[in-house]
Amino acid sequence: MARQMNIQCPNCRNPITAVVESVIDVTSDPQAKARFLGGRLNAVTCPNCGTPVNIATPILYHDGSKELLLVYVPMETPLPKQQQEKVIGELMKELTSKLPKEAMKGYLFNPKQALTLQGMMDTILQADGVTPEMMNEQRDRVRLIETFMSTPADLLESVVQQNDAKVDAQFLQTMSLMAQRMVQENRPDLAEQVLAVQERVATYSSFGQTLLEENRQQEEIVREVATELQALGNGATRADFIELALRYGADANRLQALVGLARPAFDYQFFTEFTTRVGSAPADQRDYMESVREQLVQLTQLVDQQQQMVVQEAAQLLQQLVNSPDVDAAVEENMPYLDDTFMAVLSANIQEAQRTGNIQMSARLKQVYDRVVAALRDNMQPELRFINDLLSMPEDQARKALAEQAADFGPVLVEMMDAVQEILSSRGEGELLEKLATLRQDAVQALQ
Ligand SMILES: [Zn+2]
């Protein structure tokens, strides 16, 4: 529901072609809500002089799941009431033409008019359970971040200490979100500044110090558990894992690290064996063993739920890419989320479409796949792209290309090959690993 509009930069008068969205339907475009609340809707940057320009346009906001219908007509274009109603009527027509019949309910005939954009955003947040107090707190946080950002480096420590009580988890999270948004707005330089200040705020504040210490301890525990798992080796039996868990039993952090690192070991058979162990143990130990078993059950469920959520998010993103009128732009916008899980979901969907003979869907999915692969390739470091290309060539051809080009990349090529080797071995890609080993030897030789 976006259209192009030609405007003029208020600063340099340069003509700008902007994409303008006037109708936001959260059901059909879930990301539009975040775009709107983040102030990124109908905002462009003049390509000529860099001035940020907000385009004043009427906005109709619809969230079917909350029966929320809001409309805003900007003050910049004062319209007589009659004309305002005409504008709103047109937006309503655009919205309702896309809604299924069963979604047509009473509230759709009575949009609530917001006087300001901020007021519209507040109403949307309130419908999410965000109270005005919470919004004020959030505004205070943003103001304090701005204060920290503009404090000279040598004074930051004392300014943070003066505000020590205000630095908590939500405060640091607000800084992270701010940095994330800046990356999305193509300002990685600003994001880096925010993250650098965030790191110093964490170091100087009581909350941050406690958090850093907790993280350090947790990391140490994960390292220790990982070492013990490694010591068990590939021949580890379920009985070994039961032993380890019983030894960790009193330490919930250690159990959590164990399940997180070796989820596949905690399968149905593991828990059956565990139950048998409990049954044959001396009576005075059973309660303790039973409680460890119960903790492990809960931890595996937790890990699985997290995994499922990740998969669901990937599936939603795929849906969005498939439905997008501009796949390239959508792929570009979602680069950070195009990870292994996403690729696995995409491949599974292609297979499923082929299996059920859905030719149209399968073609569309393959198109998305090609774009994603191309975009990932474009974003790769040159060495990585080269290694990737080598691995997809026949071996003699790859060795020839490597001999010719290895010197252009230098020793970093071998380092990158080692990184790729780790990824491939974690995925159990035996054939590619062999090929990579041969190429690595060639690379070392060529670089001597
Ligand atoms: Zn300009």
Side-chain angles (χ1 to χ4, degrees), residues 9 12 46 49:
C9 170
C12 73
C46 170
C49 72

Coordinates of all heavy atoms in Angstrom, one line a residue, residues 9 12 46 49, ligand 1:
C9 N 13.4 18.8 -1.5 CA 14.2 18.9 -0.3 C 14.0 20.4 0.3 O 14.2 21.3 -0.4 CB 15.6 18.7 -0.5 SG 16.6 19.0 1.0
C12 N 17.8 22.0 0.2 CA 18.6 22.3 -1.0 C 17.7 22.3 -2.3 O 18.2 22.6 -3.4 CB 19.7 21.3 -1.2 SG 19.2 19.7 -1.7
C46 N 17.5 13.3 2.1 CA 17.8 13.9 0.8 C 19.1 13.3 0.3 O 20.1 13.4 1.0 CB 17.9 15.4 0.9 SG 18.5 16.2 -0.6
C49 N 21.8 16.4 -0.1 CA 22.4 17.2 1.0 C 22.3 16.4 2.4 O 22.9 16.9 3.4 CB 21.9 18.6 1.2 SG 20.2 18.6 1.8
Ligands
ZN1 ZN 18.7 18.4 0.1

